């Protein structure tokens, strides 16, 4: 019983540390995307590089080609795929939806029929209420592979006001963007 309790506490501490790190990275991604020029543009995807050495991170950024419901009040909407080689991170997928998620929201992405579940900053209580990340880190590589093969990705989530939103992303250019991302931040 004690061993099980310690294991749960350790897992919770590891998750809390990971979520803190994710929230620290998400804000710079949003700022960099609006403040600097991309190192490359590949149809609907752009690649950015920030920092140097162990603090270097690179990310591909895509914005939806359509969002529903039309006229919903939202901030910036985008998906990013990040590499942070100094921290051993590859293919970290995050989505900013431009509103605070509902605490009950179970956002997900679909790429050509294949589904990927996400968790929100609201549920993680990390202060990034408009962000979502893949629920299972093992799915990151699988989602990126599906995006490279697919033509369209749909992301759905529910706002704190109860509005279900649907954002559709074109995947044209994502393969070239990922090649540029891998070249800019190669695996250690």
């Amino acid at each position: 019983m004690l061993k099980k309790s310690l294991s749960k506490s350790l897992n919770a501490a590891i998750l809390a540390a990971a979520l803190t790190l994710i929230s620290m990275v998400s804000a710079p991604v949003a700022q960099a995307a609006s403040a600097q020029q991309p190192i490359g543009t590949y149809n609907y995807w752009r690649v950015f590089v920030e920092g140097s050495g162990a603090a270097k991170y690179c990310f591909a950024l895509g914005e939806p080609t359509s969002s529903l419901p039309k006229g919903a009040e939202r901030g910036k909407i985008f998906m990013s795929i990040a590499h942070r080689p100094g921290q051993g991170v590859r293919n970290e997928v995050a989505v900013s939806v431009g509103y605070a998620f509902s605490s009950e929201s179970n956002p997900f992405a679909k790429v050509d029929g294949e589904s990927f579940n996400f968790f929100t900053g609201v549920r993680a209580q990390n202060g990034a209420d408009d962000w979502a990340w893949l629920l299972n880190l093992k799915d990151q590589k699988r989602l990126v592979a599906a995006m490279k093969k697919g033509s369209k990705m749909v992301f759905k989530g529910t706002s704190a006001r109860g509005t279900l939103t649907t954002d559709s992303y074109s995947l044209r250019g994502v393969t070239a963007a990922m090649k540029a991302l891998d070249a800019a931040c190669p695996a250690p």
Side-chain angles (χ1 to χ4, degrees):
M1 180 81 168
L2 179 60
K3 187 176 181 181
K4 198 179 229 183
S5 177
L6 285 173
S7 177
K8 281 185 180 180
S9 296
L10 181 59
N11 286 341
I14 290 169
L15 179 60
L19 293 175
T20 299
L21 179 62
I22 286 170
S23 67
M24 290 186 319
V25 170
S26 299
V29 167
Q31 290 169 348
S34 62
Q36 78 175 73
Q37 294 296 313
I39 63 165
T41 300
Y42 310 90
N43 289 313
Y44 293 94
W45 293 81
R46 295 173 287 158
V47 175
F48 297 84
V49 176
E50 280 288 313
S52 62
K56 183 178 183 181
Y57 66 98
C58 307
F59 58 96
L61 187 87
E63 296 175 277
T65 54
S66 68
S67 295
L68 296 172
K70 293 205 180 295
E73 289 184 38
R74 296 171 73 180
K76 296 267 185 196
I77 308 165
F78 58 89
M79 168 177 268
S80 69
I81 305 164
H83 291 347
R84 294 191 314 278
Q87 298 166 359
V89 174
R90 308 232 16 109
N91 297 321
E92 179 181 66
V93 179
V95 179
S96 174
V97 293
Y99 60 76
F101 279 102
S102 160
S103 61
E104 303 298 316
S105 186
N106 294 307
F108 64 92
K110 275 195 172 191
V111 179
D112 296 338
E114 197 172 354
S115 287
F116 300 87
N117 294 320
F118 283 69
F119 71 93
T120 68
V122 172
R123 284 209 173 155
Q125 298 179 350
N126 65 3
D129 293 353
D130 58 337
W131 284 85
W133 300 268
L134 275 168
L135 184 60
N136 186 343
L137 294 178
K138 293 178 183 178
D139 283 343
Q140 289 177 331
K141 190 174 183 179
R142 189 171 66 89
L143 174 54
V144 170
M147 290 172 69
K148 287 178 178 180
K149 287 189 278 182
S151 60
K152 178 180 169 184
M153 180 180 64
V154 174
F155 184 87
K156 292 188 178 203
T158 304
S159 75
R161 293 181 177 174
T163 304
L164 175 65
T165 60
T166 303
D167 299 317
S168 297
Y169 293 81
S170 172
L171 298 176
R172 265 180 80 201
V174 78
T175 299
M178 290 306 298
K179 284 180 184 177
L181 183 68
D182 291 344
C185 275

